[in-house]
Amino acid sequence: LALALLAGQVARAQDEKAVNLVVKPKAGLVTRAVTTIKTSAMGMDIIVTQTQKDTVKEVKENGDVVVEVADEGSVLNIGGTDRDQPASPAFTITRSKLGIVKESKREDASGFMTPEVGRLMTSLSSSIYPDKLVKTNDTWQTELENPAVKEKKITVKGTYLGLDKVEGKDYWKIKQSAEAFVDADGAKMSYEILQWINPKDGTLFKLEGTIKDVPTQVGPLTMQITSKALKLDEKVKPEPKKADDKTDKKP
């Protein structure tokens, strides 16, 4: 019986049709998402909830995609107290057809991270796809330049985990992970994320992941990140307070 079941699984794997994860977007495509980042610093829990709108401004002949990223504002929660944050200026980012960041015109004057680490985070925040057809559990690797330590390149590892049905729809489920040196002394940060991608247009439906040991002005931080697509006119609803939370938290 075990051999028969194994044979059936092998046959299904062989029958599975390989897929191309690279979906060329159309100029004018607009998507929105809400992202939540949770971390702890100086003994306090910190939660950032941010809404963002991406607009495909141009798709070049070589496949490069130019996207305008517009921050729609965020809420910073420190130790249980919410503070509304104004939207940052919009910026553009150019990616190759495989998702590799080629240029980013983002300006960050906060000083929370060094400019080099900021560019590193931008590079690793992009979904990177293989230049080949893949089946379930197929893997690929992509080498990236490291803005933080130029002589130490980054190897990003990807795995296609097959189709996953969420809320009645099929999505490509992809795992992506990497380690990167962040200083000359050998310190590293690492990340692992799961992504659910819409096969019809290549847009992100949701994301879950962890980034460890991100160097910041308050020391290395570990961040839990979740993101989910929003409808173009959808408003972000704040999380309801717990039943036993009787504090009057003012923004």
Side-chain angles (χ1 to χ4, degrees):
L1 177 59
L3 289 173
L5 290 173
L6 179 60
Q9 292 175 353
V10 171
R12 285 192 294 272
Q14 292 175 341
D15 291 340
E16 179 187 358
K17 184 178 180 181
V19 297
N20 180 10
L21 300 179
V22 179
V23 180
K24 184 178 179 180
K26 294 181 179 180
L29 175 66
V30 179
T31 57
R32 295 178 67 237
V34 56
T35 300
T36 301
I37 302 173
K38 298 181 179 181
T39 188
S40 296
M42 298 177 291
M44 293 183 294
D45 291 335
I46 300 173
I47 303 174
V48 180
T49 304
Q50 181 184 40
T51 307
Q52 177 177 301
K53 181 175 73 173
D54 292 357
T55 304
V56 177
K57 304 299 287 187
E58 181 184 2
V59 180
K60 300 183 179 181
E61 290 185 4
N62 65 354
D64 286 358
V65 181
V66 181
V67 179
E68 180 187 69
V69 180
D71 176 14
E72 295 184 337
S74 58
V75 177
L76 174 64
N77 183 292
I78 301 179
T81 301
D82 286 340
R83 296 180 175 89
D84 291 331
Q85 305 295 302
S88 302
F91 65 96
T92 59
I93 185 169
T94 301
R95 301 184 180 94
S96 73
K97 66 178 182 180
L98 300 180
I100 300 171
V101 175
K102 301 180 72 172
E103 183 181 14
S104 175
K105 296 184 178 180
R106 182 174 189 172
E107 296 181 5
D108 182 7
S110 68
F112 187 64
M113 301 177 187
T114 65
E116 293 78 14
V117 171
R119 290 196 293 270
L120 172 60
M121 293 287 284
T122 298
S123 295
L124 297 181
S125 67
S126 180
S127 302
I128 300 176
Y129 302 111
D131 58 356
K132 62 181 181 180
L133 300 178
V134 292
K135 292 185 178 182
T136 301
N137 295 323
D138 279 352
T139 62
W140 62 93
Q141 294 187 359
T142 306
E143 190 174 79
L144 303 178
E145 298 295 330
N146 186 343
V149 185
K150 293 184 178 180
E151 61 272 19
K152 298 288 187 179
K153 294 189 177 182
I154 308 164
T155 299
V156 178
K157 301 176 182 178
T159 305
Y160 173 58
L161 300 176
L163 285 175
D164 188 24
K165 192 174 290 294
V166 182
E167 298 178 4
K169 295 183 179 180
D170 287 331
Y171 295 92
W172 291 330
K173 188 176 180 181
I174 300 170
K175 182 172 74 173
Q176 189 167 299
S177 62
E179 285 186 344
F181 286 93
V182 293
D183 62 32
D185 295 329
K188 292 181 181 181
M189 61 170 279
S190 63
Y191 83 108
E192 181 174 294
I193 58 173
L194 292 173
Q195 306 165 82
W196 285 260
I197 305 294
N198 188 335
K200 294 182 179 180
D201 55 16
T203 57
L204 178 71
F205 173 67
K206 71 173 183 174
L207 176 149
E208 299 173 357
T210 302
I211 307 177
K212 297 181 179 179
D213 300 320
V214 180
T216 71
Q217 65 179 0
V218 296
L221 297 181
T222 292
M223 305 176 182
Q224 303 288 337
I225 299 178
T226 59
S227 185
K228 188 171 183 180
L230 294 171
K231 296 178 181 179
L232 295 185
D233 59 350
E234 184 176 354
K235 294 183 178 180
V236 178
K237 297 180 181 179
E239 295 184 6
K241 295 181 180 180
K242 296 180 181 178
D244 57 351
D245 186 358
K246 298 181 181 180
T247 58
D248 183 13
K249 299 175 182 177
K250 298 181 180 180

